[in-house]
């Protein structure tokens, strides 16, 4: 250790500094809540900070200790936000539970987390009542929004009312845990990702930059992402950092969203593609006005080109993002490159359709089956691995690190890195079709197939092939608008993909299997087609 | 210490990650140099990273060890930038020397820093030759830009050419020192501020945000601030972070700047007010075009309202900043507040004329003579104190911290904090006039006085007064355009300041004293007027 001859100040990164900063510098920064019952409330950072301190006192009084887990089962609203800061402020770890998990997963995660307290929305009461007998560690239940005549658990405001808010945030190391969010894989129990003070501050600083969410004080952000889903993409941390107005809504119907956009003068929003599909359909039907909205972030799954174009046509900037719960969640976002203004419309859309570039703090590489790092040539595809300041190392209570020996996290996505730094997801690792030592993107085949007249939905899976190991089978659902057969599908996609990628067979079904959250379930589809064989099927195209 | 059940990755903040990031993600991000001899060169982050590694090797070969100081005496250009990263990359501390210091200060700081190596511009040769005998610790001299026929020290490119760049940046703790910059007070020897890896990364992350410099990859930044002056306001760290183009110029003549703005498509620039005064005069005279320039940061001293208005009239955003060498240097910057679009022109200018708001990472308070914290009411003025992630704690080799007992750094400025979070500098602590227990701003009186017809320049100092302790004396220089006397001056300013602020006397001189860097020297003025007394002077206005 060098003898320190002159120093900068010690200034640990601590998320409670965010609320302190907002209370001091942006006390009147507004937080608007649109509640499930249709009512609206307004508060600001001065009140949020005060109530968070009161809640910290209530937790101390309830016997919660530093490092204990405090859970929430709630949609987006101001009390949920207060609960985040109130829990972390006294040293607890905030566990945001996703109510969309299966019941057995809900039992598992609350017990695995050893949650001590649960704060929940009144609408979750049936779920909570059904679970109480199985949750072993929760001894304090609080309802965020008890309606008139409620005879259940204590209400949030009553719970914190006895306390005066004369409370100093608990001391903490910047590497101490602040949050816990479980992510459900397709196999095994959900895994818990631990967020830390430091990682969340660095994530927030990265997120607000012009090439990411581009957030400043004069903006108004409405996350259409639940606070239980990877921190609502970090916006509840970013808003107090810059002092912008924030609108939180308990439901995401297109009608309500559009009303909020206009009435609250929302400038920035963020959500998954299906949210925007609904909203665009609603606007196309009603001619509704989006108000001053000028920036949307789309992530969770790939934003279709038509969606990107729709927003561009209305002078709304699209930031296409990629992330994971394990990445807090932002991994990359499509900020504009050099020379943007000189690019053609088509080039700009092509660029935006990729999943963006890494902000400083994240690194990416792609590797092949042998673990070799592949070039950033815009052609090679490989398993996407990441490392950085807000990337998981070890899951909650896991016995060993989730990283490779050389310190990278395998995302389970397959991607291509372009020379300009942009990243393009080409598939999920488990869905990629490995044919003759090379990889075929199931996603690209599906995207091409749904562009064919008469096709409503498509899924592509690899089927065993004696020579090539795997060859693609395309399974389609017709939309009934016209007659279409396998040859017509292959004909419709043949100019969009390499010839050797073309499926060996096309099958039609009435319905494709989906998961509880509405995603295509290739796992179930593969089970359904486990006995399928190309034997007897006349190869339609493809390699041989 | 809590047992860590689940973690994020370790990711120390290290400024060499900036150049690694730029080399990997923005390899073709351009750095353009406009040299002192009028020539231009172009390079990019891939080449800068490579040459920085070569320079690290050259330093190792020269016997430089981790923690040793490597000095530069140079204007802004690509080799100076390479030298920053090359020095820090092998573990040295970069000492940027300000050539405008007095000779005895130049001797003092190089010896005090114990510099081992000096890299300098050819134009500095007379200075270097004059100093060599007095600089006791420098044993390696390198000239950045030896001209044809140079017979002095080795040239930079020749010096690094023998090395292949196969070098791994030195391991470093994120609190290790990376930079040293001396700041000269009005008394005593210059004091050295030590910058650290961590403080500089956090400063860069804060600086690029929309409410500060608002920098993204598609921008082009031209700092009109020397790299030896508080890190050119941090832009050489911020540019690789976002991958924007950067233009470095060795001189700042208005003509050259305007040519660069236009030819290199500069979007962002930053400089002190006098730079912009010259540029505006040049543009007004020649009708020169500023190209796509859309954001300027003005700091160093207060931006006049007329200057702010001039840029606004041309759709150029003005970010008014305040900072110090001790703050790396950004302390506050005028990003737009909520409701900006609803503010009148006059309100927007009034807001921009203040010195902005703190970014997350900096805290401010104002205190009175007794150390009481004053309210943020937009009226109270007090000594401005700061603390935060990139604020000095202990000066280089100082025996004790520069901070107050409770951990704040006294800036030497007097300021007012407004309820909306904005900060307004009202004076320097040593220049404020203390009258009857209250404070009179010398700066406001001077600004008002130069608005009076016939007044070219004005300086206000406090003169002993038996009843009020001090009362203001206004010393003016006429511009010869019209006849003006003391009464006319007082009459001209009486509607702009409180009645009890009005000077007790106005004196006229042919010339006001200035420092070597062109600033008004109130210290000399106070010496000149040390025998001055209000006795016998008929009080013109003021308190009695």
């Amino acid at each position: 250790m060098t003898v320190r001859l002159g120093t900068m100040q010690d200034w640990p990164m601590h998320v409670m500094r965010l609320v302190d900063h907002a209370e001091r510098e942006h006390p009147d920064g507004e937080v608007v809540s649109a509640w499930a019952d249709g009512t609206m409330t307004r508060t600001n950072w001065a009140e949020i900070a005060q109530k968070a301190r009161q809640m910290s006192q209530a937790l101390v009084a309830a016997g919660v200790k530093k490092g204990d887990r405090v859970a929430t089962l709630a949609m987006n609203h101001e009390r949920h936000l207060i609960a985040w800061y109130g829990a972390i402020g006294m040293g607890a770890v905030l566990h945001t539970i996703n109510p969309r998990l299966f019941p057995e997963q809900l039992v598992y995660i609350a017990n695995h987390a050893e949650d001590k307290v649960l704060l929940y929305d009144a609408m979750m009461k049936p779920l909570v009542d059904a679970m109480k007998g199985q949750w072993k560690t929760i001894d304090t239940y609080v309802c965020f929004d008890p309606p008139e005549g409620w005879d259940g658990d204590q209400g949030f405001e009553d719970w914190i009312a006895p306390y005066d808010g004369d409370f100093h945030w608990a001391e903490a190391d910047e590497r101490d845990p602040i949050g816990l969010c479980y992510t459900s894989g397709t196999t095994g129990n959900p895994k818990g990702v631990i967020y830390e003070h430091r990682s969340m501050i660095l994530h927030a600083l990265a997120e607000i930059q012009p090439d990411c969410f581009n957030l400043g004080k004069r903006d108004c952000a409405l996350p259409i992402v639940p606070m239980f889903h990877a921190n609502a993409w970090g916006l509840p941390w970013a808003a107090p950092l810059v002092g912008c107005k924030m609108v939180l809504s308990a439901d995401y119907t297109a009608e309500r969203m559009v009303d909020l956009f206009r009435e609250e003068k929302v400038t920035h929003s963020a959500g998954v593609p299906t949210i925007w599909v609904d909203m665009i359909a609603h606007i196309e039907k009603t001619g509704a006005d989006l108000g001053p909205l000028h920036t949307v972030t789309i992530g969770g799954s790939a934003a279709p080109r038509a969606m990107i174009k729709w927003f561009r046509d209305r002078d709304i900037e699209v930031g296409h993002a990629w992330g994971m719960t394990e990445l807090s969640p932002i991994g990359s976002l499509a900020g504009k490159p050099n020379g943007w203004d000189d690019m053609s419309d088509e080039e700009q859309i092509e660029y935006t359709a990729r999943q963006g570039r890494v902000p400083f703090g994240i690194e990416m590489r792609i590797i092949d089956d042998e673990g070799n790092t592949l070039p950033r040539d815009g052609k090679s595809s490989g398993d996407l691995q990441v490392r950085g300041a807000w990337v998981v190392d070890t899951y909650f209570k896991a016995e060993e690190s989730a990283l490779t020996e050389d310190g990278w996290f395998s995302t389970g996505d397959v991607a291509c890195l372009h020379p300009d730094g942009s990243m393009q997801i080409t598939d999920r690792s488990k869905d990629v079709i490995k044919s003759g030592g090379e990889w075929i993107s199931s996603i690209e085949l599906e995207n091409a197939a749904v562009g064919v007249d008469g096709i409503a939905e498509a899924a592509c899976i690899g089927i065993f092939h004696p020579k090539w190991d795997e060859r693609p089978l395309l399974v389609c659902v017709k939309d009934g608008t016209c007659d279409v057969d396998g040859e017509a599908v292959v004909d419709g996609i043949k100019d969009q993909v390499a010839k050797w990628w073309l499926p060996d067979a096309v099958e039609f079904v009435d319905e494709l299997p989906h998961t509880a959250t509405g995603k295509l379930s290739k796992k179930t589809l593969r089970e359904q087609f486990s006995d399928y064989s190309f034997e007897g099927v006349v190869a339609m195209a493809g390699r041989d």
Side-chain angles (χ1 to χ4, degrees), chain A residues 382-399:
Chain A
D383 280 317
L384 180 65
Q385 300 188 332
V386 295
R387 65 180 180 190
W390 49 89
V391 181
V392 71
D393 179 319
T394 305
Y395 288 105
F396 185 58
K397 291 184 178 175
E399 300 207 341

Side-chain angles (χ1 to χ4, degrees), chain A residues 262-284:
Chain A
R262 198 181 52 250
E263 287 161 15
E264 299 299 333
K265 297 186 178 164
V266 172
T267 58
H268 289 61
S269 191
V272 297
T274 51
I275 288 286
W276 301 114
V277 166
D278 289 353
M279 193 125 37
I280 289 171
H282 173 76
I283 291 166
E284 289 291 332

